[in-house]
Amino acid sequence: MNNFKSIIARICVLLVLRWFNSVSCQCSQEQIDVLDYIGNYLEVRYAVIRNYDSDDQTSWSQVNLTNSGRQDISAGPVQWSVYLSLLRGIQDTLGTRNESEIPNSGLKVGHINGCLHRLSPTASFATLLPGQTLPVTFRVTHGMVSHTDVFPNWYVAADGCTESRTILSTAREPIHFTDPFDTAEKWKRSRNDLYDPYTPSVRYNSSYVHNIGADSVRTRILPTPIEAELDAEKTVNIKYGGWVIVEPVSELENEAKFLSDALGLTIVPAASAPSSHKILLLIGPVFNPNATKELDGAEAYQLEIDADGETVTLTGPTGSGVFRGIQSVLSLTDHGDDVPSGVVRDGPRFEYRGMHVDVSRNFHQVEEIFRLMDAMTIYKMNQLHLHLSDDEGWRLEIPEIPELTQVGSRRCYDPTGDQCIIPQLGSNPTLSNTGTGYYSVATYRSILAYAARRHIRVIPEIDMPGHSHAAIHSMLARHRKYAATNVTAANQYLLSDFGDQSEYLSAQYFTDGAVNPCMESTYSFIDAVVGSVKALHADVQPLTVFHLGGDEVASTAWIGSPLCQQLNLSRPDLYLRFVARASHIVAGHGLEMAMWDDGVYYNDLPVNKTLLGGENVYTTVWSNVWEWGNGKRAYELANDDYKVIISHATHLYIDHPSEPDPEERGLYWATRVTSPFKVFAFMPDSLYDNIGVDGKGRPLDKDTICAVFGCPPLEDDQSRANVIGMQGQLWSEVTRFPENLTYMIFPRIVALAERAWHRAEFESVPDEIARNETLQGEWETFANILGHKEFKRLDRLGIKYNIAPAGAEIDPDNQYNIFVTSGFPGLPVVYSLDQGLTWISCESVINLPPDTNFPIDVQLRVLSSDRSRSSRQISLTVNGPGTKTSALHDD
């Protein structure tokens, strides 16, 4: 009976789609005129009214719609709708097929899918006259505390018409149609949220670092080496005077070429090499400082700079080790061509030092991936985890299944669903948007080649079974294309059961994003994709690990699927069936599988690894939010013999803001703040010591967390060895453009690289007070290296890193003096006393003129190292001598 129902449902869907395609799609001139007018003349303003309702779980927003033109906007005869995307869902509509009428507006609101909603006029809609404003008030799920919670590019479309228009008042970047978050009700997510936007004074006291001077960091290398004995007073110039690179063994040909390109030096045969003015690259053992034991790992290196003999010798056990040493050579030449005499012996803390980049939510071009890898190379990172598929887009060409990119890589307004998937995350309704794009076979292979030369392994992720809206709808489009002519091709890779009546809502509000584990075509799809990706890697960078995602699958997915009901399995067992079969497909291709940590959990315990294919299973452990109770997962999985990559959301999700400020871009579901200092202070060897505050800034007690949820230790040496590294995560919901991407990643990735490569002294101090004192000292050095040296290197790469606003505090003893800091000594602070007409540089103190007329507003900015960009501008109001306080505020 269930099979019969499924067949009938499939026939009905096909008939409806054929009817729609035959009768729709030609727009009348009247429809076009209405769309043009609303697109051009509807002015939109979005305001958060308050962020906590009686239940502290919902908030109130208001959209003001103003008719700025000279014509009426009426409910008919053209049936128009306005489509909008919000990071939060509009209450009472999510996951339902019903539209809810908004009181006193004449509009109804419906949830389309994901973050996309629709406002449509009802019979009670009063014509919006020229100059008139219609306030529309509604509840949304959770709080909204940032301008980037509201996505741009709202659009208008009409029933029975395939055309649409972007509403121009929402189209500019950065977001400009949101009202200020100027009260606590707007910038706090609940009554017990302790976070406020930083004042200049708070920022000064939290970020001030003593300037130890550029000369003090000239010979410092990041990440910090195990040992570096370098004499800054005894140097040698390695670029001039006929210096050459001696041709090494063939195993180091790539490394010699890389160094030659970087320094502009010639590679000469060993037989004709000079006795001095030469760089030698050698394969050989590297010994621990003050010990006879070899440094573990392929990436160890020893760098010897002999100023007297005018020779540089770089030794490593492998090409990878020599290549990491080359980065130290290039770091030492950063301030010029003279390098200090001495020895560096070094090796990594972790074998896995990764960066995850989501190119699905918003697509990022290959040039940005190259630029990221250039920076990863400098800081000795060796794993690039590319998130190539999600609900919002499929980003890799699979030649055997062209529909994945013909449909799934494109976002647009298309009622047929044959050309694209629906707009999400502020991508406009045309195909020219940040949600459209993919890596062709040639482009992806160029990424692999670029990575291979830099000893960076690319780990592709195809996220399943959840997060698969794009893949599912691509396969539905394929089914429609072939249904009448080739039934085998139509059904070959289907990922959804036509008879499935399951109702569910994913974390990102999708109602149809889980591929069906009960269909053989699902596993045919996985086999084809894995095989194709492996073939893409084959002769460029052979694939070793395939990441299958596995995260955030809705708990009620599949329970209404007739095909799944035939298996008579519980919902957890349906998921386990998927994981087991998928892992064996991956293993059948000779690959090891990786998943997010929740992907290998079954009834709150790790899946028995013997059920999975392959010797090793890698887990990127993200879901550690302490107050949620999953902070023990990294150690649980390591004790169960999984290979663990620490990817904790509370410290290593660098898509979260650096400050708790509405002006800052970022998500904040795991934590309100992830500053560079917080990343630097992370202790991967003692995870529970990172318990600090909850997502609202309230203190957490480690003993209480461990008593309630459990804090199992690593059981033995094998468990400790199973923790193989760290990874930073960048999810791209609010990173639409290249400058957004680099703003979020840098400089936090440098702190991540430091902690993944180097075990800091503060981590070994047992007493918390003493540990924090040591931490502050090590941070001071690190911040000075960044400010005086590393930002210059990033500027030369064209990386637009995040420049934090200035901190400022008025001298309580002399209000003519204002103490300022950039947080990173070396980044210049400038100020203005004339509302930004002229700007003056300062070091650490602003001395106001004796004839200053109080009160006075002082504007401050921090500049990039090359002075081409600036931070957000802040203002400080100085009331003058004799006053008790002075107002401090950000612009």
Side-chain angles (χ1 to χ4, degrees):
M1 178 62 71
N2 284 333
N3 276 338
F4 178 74
K5 289 181 178 179
S6 180
I7 292 170
I8 294 299
R10 182 178 301 188
I11 292 171
C12 290
V13 168
L14 289 173
L15 290 174
V16 168
L17 287 170
R18 286 183 182 178
W19 173 84
F20 184 89
N21 289 333
S22 66
V23 303
S24 68
C25 310
Q26 293 301 319
C27 302
S28 69
Q29 187 59 50
E30 184 178 27
Q31 289 173 319
I32 296 295
D33 290 344
V34 169
L35 296 182
D36 285 342
Y37 183 83
I38 294 177
N40 288 329
Y41 295 109
L42 185 66
E43 292 291 329
V44 175
R45 294 296 305 177
Y46 193 102
V48 172
I49 300 173
R50 63 180 183 274
N51 258 329
Y52 32 90
D53 207 347
S54 58
D55 59 1
D56 259 4
Q57 298 298 313
T58 57
S59 58
W60 285 93
S61 289
Q62 180 172 295
V63 175
N64 288 322
L65 303 175
T66 300
N67 181 353
S68 66
R70 298 182 179 181
Q71 302 175 20
D72 296 346
I73 299 178
S74 60
V78 174
Q79 301 298 306
W80 53 267
S81 296
V82 169
Y83 292 78
L84 64 150
S85 289
L86 301 175
L87 186 65
R88 304 301 184 191
I90 297 178
Q91 194 75 3
D92 303 322
T93 68
L94 293 175
T96 73
R97 296 178 175 87
N98 300 320
E99 294 181 301
S100 176
E101 189 161 348
I102 301 173
N104 305 314
S105 70
L107 295 174
K108 58 185 177 181
V109 60
H111 175 229
I112 305 302
N113 215 343
C115 68
L116 188 65
H117 294 74
R118 176 175 63 197
L119 295 171
S120 306
T122 66
S124 63
F125 181 82
T127 297
L128 192 62
L129 302 174
Q132 192 173 14
T133 297
L134 173 65
V136 184
T137 304
F138 49 82
R139 284 194 308 161
V140 300
T141 59
H142 309 295
M144 298 178 67
V145 297
S146 171
H147 292 287
T148 56
D149 291 353
V150 182
F151 292 108
N153 297 313
W154 297 21
Y155 65 94
V156 59
D159 292 352
C161 170
T162 56
E163 295 202 31
S164 59
R165 297 291 185 270
T166 301
I167 297 173
L168 296 182
S169 64
T170 68
R172 298 196 305 276
E173 294 269 7
I175 303 299
H176 64 285
F177 61 97
T178 50
D179 284 357
F181 292 74
D182 51 7
T183 67
E185 285 186 316
K186 297 179 183 180
W187 70 61
K188 290 180 181 290
R189 288 164 293 168
S190 65
R191 290 175 179 82
N192 55 15
D193 189 340
L194 300 185
Y195 284 112
D196 295 302
Y198 292 166
T199 64
S201 179
V202 167
R203 190 180 296 112
Y204 179 86
N205 286 286
S206 64
S207 67
Y208 172 78
V209 170
H210 174 65
N211 187 347
I212 64 177
D215 288 342
S216 297
V217 301
R218 192 177 301 275
T219 61
R220 301 302 293 262
I221 298 167
L222 291 183
T224 303
I226 293 175
E227 178 191 51
E229 296 180 351
L230 298 170
D231 185 354
E233 303 301 317
K234 191 174 185 180
T235 63
V236 59
N237 188 305
I238 64 172
K239 280 194 178 179
Y240 299 100
W243 277 74
V244 297
I245 300 169
V246 179
E247 185 177 22
V249 296
S250 59
E251 185 179 343
L252 298 179
E253 180 181 349
N254 171 70
E255 289 63 43
K257 179 67 165 57
F258 188 95
L259 184 60
S260 171
D261 291 343
L263 295 179
L265 301 182
T266 302
I267 301 173
V268 301
S272 58
S275 59
S276 64
H277 295 83
K278 62 184 178 182
I279 299 175
L280 299 169
L281 305 181
L282 306 175
I283 293 290
V286 177
F287 292 92
N288 258 319
N290 306 314
T292 57
K293 180 183 176 183
E294 288 186 39
L295 277 173
D296 294 331
E299 295 176 287
Y301 68 91
Q302 177 172 293
L303 172 63
E304 300 169 275
I305 303 170
D306 181 358
D308 294 329
E310 296 184 300
T311 301
V312 174
T313 304
L314 180 54
T315 306
T318 67
S320 294
V322 171
F323 188 79
R324 304 305 170 208
I326 285 172
Q327 306 317 308
S328 293
V329 173
L330 298 179
S331 176
L332 294 172
T333 63
D334 181 67
H335 281 278
D337 305 322
D338 292 334
V339 295
S341 183
V343 178
V344 177
R345 296 184 184 92
D346 198 11
R349 172 189 203 161
F350 287 123
E351 66 182 80
Y352 187 111
R353 305 175 306 282
M355 185 65 210
H356 159 279
V357 180
D358 168 16
V359 296
S360 176
R361 268 57 179 271
N362 281 293
F363 183 63
H364 293 283
Q365 298 291 340
V366 65
E367 292 80 11
E368 298 311 311
I369 304 302
F370 287 166
R371 201 188 315 271
L372 172 61
M373 284 195 284
D374 286 340
M376 291 176 63
T377 297
I378 288 175
Y379 300 113
K380 302 183 175 76
M381 299 184 74
N382 65 351
Q383 311 285 333
L384 176 61
H385 175 171
L386 283 179
H387 187 77
L388 294 166
S389 77
D390 213 296
D391 292 306
E392 296 88 353
W394 183 284
R395 306 303 182 191
L396 180 60
E397 181 183 9
I398 304 296
E400 186 177 338
I401 315 176
E403 294 81 12
L404 286 168
T405 46
Q406 291 171 351
V407 177
S409 74
R410 295 148 56 99
R411 295 209 294 256
C412 71
Y413 178 72
D414 171 29
T416 71
D418 289 334
Q419 303 301 316
C420 56
I421 58 175
I422 60 174
Q424 293 284 332
L425 305 170
S427 57
N428 65 51
T430 74
L431 286 171
S432 178
N433 61 57
T434 58
T436 293
Y438 68 93
Y439 302 128
S440 67
V441 166
T443 299
Y444 184 71
R445 285 167 61 83
S446 74
I447 292 173
L448 298 179
Y450 203 86
R453 190 183 180 202
R454 289 157 180 78
H455 292 273
I456 295 171
R457 178 173 62 170
V458 175
I459 298 176
E461 179 190 352
I462 302 299
D463 201 350
M464 297 177 74
H467 291 281
S468 293
H469 170 87
I472 289 168
H473 280 264
S474 298
M475 295 305 93
L476 288 174
R478 175 188 173 96
H479 186 273
R480 291 191 293 271
K481 180 170 68 173
Y482 289 118
T485 59
N486 188 338
V487 175
T488 299
N491 296 331
Q492 186 177 10
Y493 299 124
L494 269 178
L495 300 174
S496 51
D497 177 1
F498 284 104
D500 193 349
Q501 298 299 308
S502 304
E503 292 187 0
Y504 60 87
L505 195 68
S506 75
Q508 288 76 28
Y509 310 131
F510 279 90
T511 60
D512 57 358
V515 304
N516 193 294
C518 309
M519 302 171 66
E520 285 304 310
S521 52
T522 290
Y523 302 104
S524 298
F525 177 88
I526 296 172
D527 186 59
V529 169
V530 174
S532 183
V533 175
K534 180 182 178 182
L536 293 180
H537 279 251
D539 57 347
V540 184
Q541 186 186 68
L543 186 62
T544 56
V545 175
F546 188 93
H547 203 296
L548 202 62
D551 60 314
E552 296 185 322
V553 183
S555 62
T556 55
W558 316 316
I559 61 175
S561 164
L563 294 175
C564 290
Q565 290 167 355
Q566 290 177 14
L567 299 178
N568 197 28
L569 295 174
S570 67
R571 166 57 179 76
D573 284 336
L574 289 173
Y575 179 77
L576 186 60
R577 166 189 168 88
F578 173 85
V579 173
R581 288 200 60 179
S583 72
H584 283 280
I585 290 171
V586 172
H589 285 277
L591 305 173
E592 295 180 317
M593 183 182 73
M595 296 189 88
W596 299 100
D597 59 272
D598 44 335
V600 291
Y601 265 74
Y602 171 77
N603 289 337
D604 295 324
L605 291 172
V607 171
N608 185 334
K609 202 161 79 66
T610 62
L611 299 176
L612 306 179
E615 179 179 354
N616 293 318
V617 177
Y618 297 82
T619 57
T620 36
V621 181
W622 65 278
S623 56
N624 77 299
V625 178
W626 306 112
E627 60 270 29
W628 296 357
N630 291 331
K632 60 187 176 182
R633 281 187 172 179
Y635 287 173
E636 276 188 336
L637 288 163
N639 289 337
D640 272 25
D641 204 31
Y642 284 86
K643 301 300 180 185
V644 169
I645 301 150
I646 300 170
S647 310
H648 278 182
T650 56
H651 287 72
L652 304 178
Y653 267 45
I654 53 180
D655 49 26
H656 284 46
S658 293
E659 286 192 6
D661 195 296
E663 302 299 324
E664 286 294 325
R665 184 177 300 274
L667 309 176
Y668 45 82
W669 59 266
T671 179
R672 189 67 182 93
V673 179
T674 300
S675 65
F677 174 78
K678 185 178 181 181
V679 179
F680 180 86
F682 185 66
M683 294 177 284
D685 285 349
S686 52
L687 292 181
Y688 307 126
D689 285 333
N690 295 295
I691 297 172
V693 297
D694 69 8
K696 295 176 182 177
R698 297 171 297 185
L700 291 173
D701 177 67
K702 182 177 78 169
D703 292 339
T704 301
I705 292 292
C706 292
V708 173
F709 300 116
C711 294
L714 293 170
E715 294 175 349
D716 51 34
D717 289 344
Q718 182 57 54
S719 295
R720 283 183 281 276
N722 284 336
V723 180
I724 63 171
M726 291 171 58
Q727 181 168 278
Q729 277 63 234
L730 189 284
W731 300 97
S732 67
E733 285 95 333
V734 298
T735 56
R736 287 179 286 278
F737 299 102
E739 58 268 27
N740 304 154
L741 187 76
T742 54
Y743 182 91
M744 299 305 290
I745 294 177
F746 296 92
R748 291 183 285 189
I749 192 176
V750 187
L752 168 70
E754 170 74 6
R755 199 52 56 242
W757 181 275
H758 174 70
R759 182 177 287 102
E761 181 182 343
F762 78 83
E763 297 181 72
S764 302
V765 179
D767 179 74
E768 185 175 359
I769 294 175
R771 182 197 309 147
N772 287 334
E773 290 177 354
T774 305
L775 167 62
Q776 291 297 330
E778 291 185 290
W779 170 253
E780 178 178 282
T781 300
F782 180 81
N784 271 271
I785 298 171
L786 270 177
H788 286 299
K789 183 176 180 180
E790 300 305 320
F791 284 131
K792 292 182 174 67
R793 305 180 77 189
L794 297 178
D795 282 333
R796 287 195 287 271
L797 289 176
I799 289 173
K800 296 181 179 179
Y801 47 84
N802 183 343
I803 308 170
E809 186 162 65
I810 299 169
D811 185 344
D813 299 321
N814 181 355
Q815 297 218 348
Y816 285 88
N817 295 335
I818 304 167
F819 304 118
V820 298
T821 182
S822 68
F824 295 100
L827 287 187
V829 178
V830 295
Y831 68 96
S832 174
L833 304 179
D834 55 12
Q835 301 300 312
L837 294 177
T838 58
W839 292 91
I840 305 166
S841 295
C842 65
E843 289 293 329
S844 58
V845 181
I846 297 172
N847 302 118
L848 296 177
D851 59 351
T852 298
N853 292 319
F854 296 102
I856 186 172
D857 281 345
V858 181
Q859 284 78 41
L860 297 105
R861 295 175 178 172
V862 178
L863 303 182
S864 60
S865 185
D866 64 1
R867 305 180 77 92
S868 67
R869 299 181 299 115
S870 68
S871 69
R872 282 191 287 117
Q873 180 174 307
I874 67 168
S875 290
L876 180 154
T877 301
V878 186
N879 291 325
T883 59
K884 292 183 179 180
T885 60
S886 295
L888 295 164
H889 59 276
D890 278 7
D891 277 356

